[in-house]
Amino acid sequence: MTNFDFVMTIALGSCVAGAAQASDWLGFAQVMIAMVGLFIAQWGSARMRKESETFADLAQNEPLMLMRDGKFLREAMDASRVAETDLIAKLREANVLDLSEVRAAVLETTGDVSVLHGDKLDEQLLKGVRRDPDE
C-alpha cells in the first residue's frame, strides 16, 4: 500500500460517513461526486505508477531491512520508528527460537514485518529491499 492508497482509504471512509449523515439529496450528491473524484485520482495514480518508473519511485515505499544475520540494524529501526520490542514480538510470531537463526527481518511496504529464518537465504528474496535507510 502506498502513502496515496492509505490517504485514499481514510478519505473514502470520511466520504461514506458524510453520505450517511447527509440530510438532503444535494448533500448526498456532493459526497458521491467527491468519491468519484477520489476514485479517478486513485486510478490515475495507479496508472502513472505503472507507466512511469520515476513516479513509482516517488509514490511507493520500498521494503527496508531491519535485521540481518541475527543482528539488529539500529539505524534502519530508528529511521522507520520500529521499536526493538515490536520487532522481537514479530520474531516470536515467526517462531524464531534463536536470533542467530534470523537471516533477515524486512519492514514491508504494507507496514508488516517479514521474518526470514533458517539455515540459508536465497538473496533473490531480498531483491528491492533497502539495506540503508538513507538510500
Side-chain angles (χ1 to χ4, degrees):
M1 178 180 285
T2 66
N3 293 332
F4 187 81
D5 294 332
F6 178 73
V7 170
M8 171 78 172
T9 302
I10 300 299
L12 279 174
S14 179
C15 285
V16 168
Q21 295 176 349
S23 59
D24 59 8
W25 285 107
L26 181 60
F28 184 77
Q30 287 175 335
V31 172
M32 291 297 114
I33 290 169
M35 288 177 71
V36 168
L38 285 171
F39 280 115
I40 290 170
Q42 173 72 14
W43 176 82
S45 171
R47 180 90 184 221
M48 288 176 65
R49 280 195 321 262
K50 184 177 178 182
E51 294 184 10
S52 169
E53 194 167 318
T54 302
F55 185 80
D57 290 343
L58 289 172
Q60 289 186 191
N61 298 325
E62 286 182 303
L64 176 64
M65 182 96 54
L66 299 176
M67 193 172 180
R68 184 63 198 242
D69 295 325
K71 294 183 176 45
F72 293 102
L73 303 178
R74 301 282 179 200
E75 190 175 319
M77 291 171 64
D78 290 343
S80 60
R81 296 179 303 282
V82 173
E84 183 177 323
T85 54
D86 293 336
L87 183 53
I88 289 172
K90 287 295 185 180
L91 297 174
R92 287 192 302 264
E93 284 179 16
N95 296 321
V96 172
L97 301 175
D98 187 347
L99 291 179
S100 66
E101 294 176 354
V102 178
R103 297 297 136 240
V106 178
L107 178 62
E108 301 291 354
T109 59
T110 60
D112 199 14
V113 176
S114 295
V115 178
L116 307 169
H117 57 96
D119 295 331
K120 64 180 190 172
L121 173 65
D122 185 342
E123 290 297 317
Q124 191 72 6
L125 293 171
L126 299 177
K127 186 177 181 181
V129 175
R130 286 185 298 150
R131 297 171 196 313
D132 182 358
D134 297 327
E135 285 181 6

